[in-house]
Amino acid sequence: MITQNASEMAAAVASGEVTSEALTQAHLSRIAEVDVKVHAFLHIDTEGALAQARAVDAARAKGEKLSPLAGVPLALKDVMVQKGVPTTCGSKILEGWRPPYDATVVSKLKNAGVVILGKTNMDEFAMGSSTENSAYGPTHNPWDLTRIPGGSGGGSSASLAAFEAPLALGTATGGSIRQPAAVTGTVGVKPTYGGVSRYGLVAFSSSLDQAGPCARTVLDAALLHEIIGGHDTYDSTSIDAPVPAVVAAAKMRDVKGMRIGVVRELGGEGYQAGVLQRFNESVEVLRGLGAEIIEVSCPHFEYALPAYYLIAPSECSSNLARFDAMRFGLRVGDDRARSAEEVMNLTREAGFGPEVKRRIILGTYALSSGYYDAYYGSAQKVRTLIINDFNAAFAQVDVLISPTSPTTAFKIGEKADDPLAMYLNDIATIPVNLAGNCAMSIPCGLAPEDGLPVGLQIIAPAMADDRLYRVGGALEAAFNEEWGGPLMNKAPSLTGGVR
Ligand code: GLN
């Protein structure tokens, strides 16, 4: 039952073949069995999940019309607030905090009858590419437990690859949905900025942050995208337009006549040979399906990473100022002899991990008077150049493609002491966050040298998210035919057999 796709599970619930309660219980049992090894979850909401599941079963019994994913379990990245359920953002500073409200995406999930199993592990405040920066210990990649599951949303992607949940939500500031998807053989989508509400997401870099769907198939991601997307008056950057028709696009399975651009700058040096091999084969698959392949150049993408590492820390230094020891979670040294400022300093010293501190210091420096124009101002200008590169490219092609991540999953600990090596993981995903358009990662095979999943990135213009699903759905169908089933069938066993 747990190895089915979310759409199959929803159909089984709707037809009465299985109850949502039984389905939810099966996933909770799976979590109990394997999460000691995987550590995808920070909190499991057993009672809450079962209550939600029973409510779906009761609605069905009454003959109410169910939404397309009603009764199906989901894993929620711990950066999103859910009323009464602990939310830590992977940080000690939020330990013990229970939010008093639901994020908009959470209310939408609840209204759609999607069952929330619990909160998933992540790099502290979503800063990282490996989930090793979590204050609660790393998550392990179900393909190889000695390797990272990507980050910052490694818990969400690992929960899918370990069959602990068929659906998950992630957030991407630079790559935290696509890169974990790539290294775990799953699907992840960063929707157009403003396409999904940010209300109730703990802010990292507000002009870049975006929530999106994670799943094992393109159609499942599309079904979830339609539930979480749409205008929200609680988010001033939310786009007041209908959600693109992503489910219909996922079902088209046809790219004939589409113009697909291969980005010259996202490949070559620094990319693992097996990643490039699988990417190049995918290009040929698309050509075989009738797409026109065009090489395009985006000359300013090489400045995306440095621009990101000025903009994101600058915004985070401001956003994380709210953790002042007074309003949320941890408070250290509050013995009445100390001033509020001393308590704040002690709390921030104890509550934030090294990567978060590094970013706050970098961002505070980049925003300081005298340096603002040289650093933050210049980075914003680079952002415009990257947007111009995308506009020029999309004048020639319908979508762009590249490898999602330069390498497959690396070993836990391998890059932990080298922030720059860690930052390079998102070299291909960051331009999209800077420009605000949308992108998807889908599995495109296993790298020959290590047998680990490789991700292919599809990029579309803002509010053309449906094109991601059209190309992703067609490629997935072609791959499944070639591989004799989904890549996930090849996932190694965890406890004597995943399947
Ligand atoms: N790895 C990038 C960073 O560390 C992106 C993280 C994200 O998308 N949240 O900032």
Side-chain angles (χ1 to χ4, degrees), residues 153-209:
S156 284
S157 59
S159 73
L160 300 172
F163 296 91
E164 295 172 295
L167 297 170
L169 281 193
T171 54
T173 304
S176 287
I177 296 175
R178 284 159 286 162
Q179 184 258 4
V183 300
T184 57
T186 57
V187 177
V189 180
K190 188 213 93 74
T192 297
Y193 182 79
V196 177
S197 171
R198 287 186 298 113
Y199 179 72
L201 270 51
V202 181
F204 165 9
S205 179
S206 308
S207 77
L208 301 165
D209 297 344

Side-chain angles (χ1 to χ4, degrees), residues 77 126-129 151-152 171-176 204 308-309 359 426:
K77 187 177 178 185
M127 298 172 194
S129 304
S152 63
T171 54
T173 304
S176 287
F204 165 9
Y308 173 88
Y309 278 98
R359 305 243 185 150
D426 300 302

Side-chain angles (χ1 to χ4, degrees), residues 77-132:
K77 187 177 178 185
D78 203 24
V79 67
M80 300 176 199
V81 306
Q82 183 183 353
K83 190 175 177 179
V85 176
T87 299
T88 67
C89 245
S91 181
K92 288 280 179 215
I93 211 158
L94 276 175
E95 201 162 29
W97 183 58
R98 287 178 190 256
Y101 70 106
D102 280 332
T104 296
V105 288
V106 170
S107 333
K108 285 181 183 246
L109 292 173
K110 287 182 175 175
N111 291 340
V114 176
V115 174
I116 303 172
L117 293 169
K119 310 297 289 291
T120 58
N121 199 13
M122 54 183 282
D123 286 300
E124 185 175 4
F125 287 105
M127 298 172 194
S129 304
S130 67
T131 313
E132 291 166 291

Side-chain angles (χ1 to χ4, degrees), residues 225-387:
H225 192 142
E226 287 200 354
I227 288 172
I228 61 170
H231 185 232
D232 180 16
T233 51
Y234 287 170
D235 173 0
S236 63
T237 58
S238 166
I239 297 171
D240 191 359
V243 184
V246 294
V247 171
K251 290 177 175 168
M252 279 177 74
R253 299 190 174 162
D254 169 26
V255 290
K256 242 183 240 84
M258 281 187 92
R259 294 165 306 160
I260 297 184
V262 175
V263 187
R264 191 183 307 151
E265 287 77 9
L266 301 180
E269 207 190 325
Y271 286 73
Q272 188 178 320
V275 167
L276 291 176
Q277 184 183 332
R278 292 298 176 236
F279 175 73
N280 292 334
E281 287 165 7
S282 308
V283 172
E284 292 317 311
V285 171
L286 284 166
R287 206 192 299 275
L289 292 172
E292 185 187 347
I293 307 293
I294 300 164
E295 193 185 74
V296 299
S297 174
C298 294
H300 299 97
F301 280 17
E302 66 170 300
Y303 307 113
L305 198 72
Y308 173 88
Y309 278 98
L310 288 167
I311 293 168
S314 294
E315 293 187 12
C316 106
S317 72
S318 165
N319 272 325
L320 269 56
R322 61 167 58 81
F323 301 106
D324 57 4
M326 305 299 144
R327 288 179 280 193
F328 313 94
L330 187 72
R331 183 179 299 168
V332 177
D334 181 12
D335 60 6
R336 287 175 169 266
R338 290 191 176 87
S339 68
E341 194 176 344
E342 284 171 314
V343 172
M344 183 173 85
N345 287 344
L346 288 171
T347 303
R348 288 168 69 87
E349 166 61 27
F352 287 139
E355 183 63 25
V356 173
K357 286 177 184 154
R358 175 164 29 239
R359 305 243 185 150
I360 291 173
I361 291 167
L362 270 174
T364 305
Y365 181 76
L367 289 178
S368 59
S369 88
Y371 292 107
Y372 181 94
D373 286 336
Y375 294 127
Y376 188 72
S378 304
Q380 290 291 26
K381 287 179 190 157
V382 170
R383 197 167 181 176
T384 302
L385 294 174
I386 288 167
I387 293 171

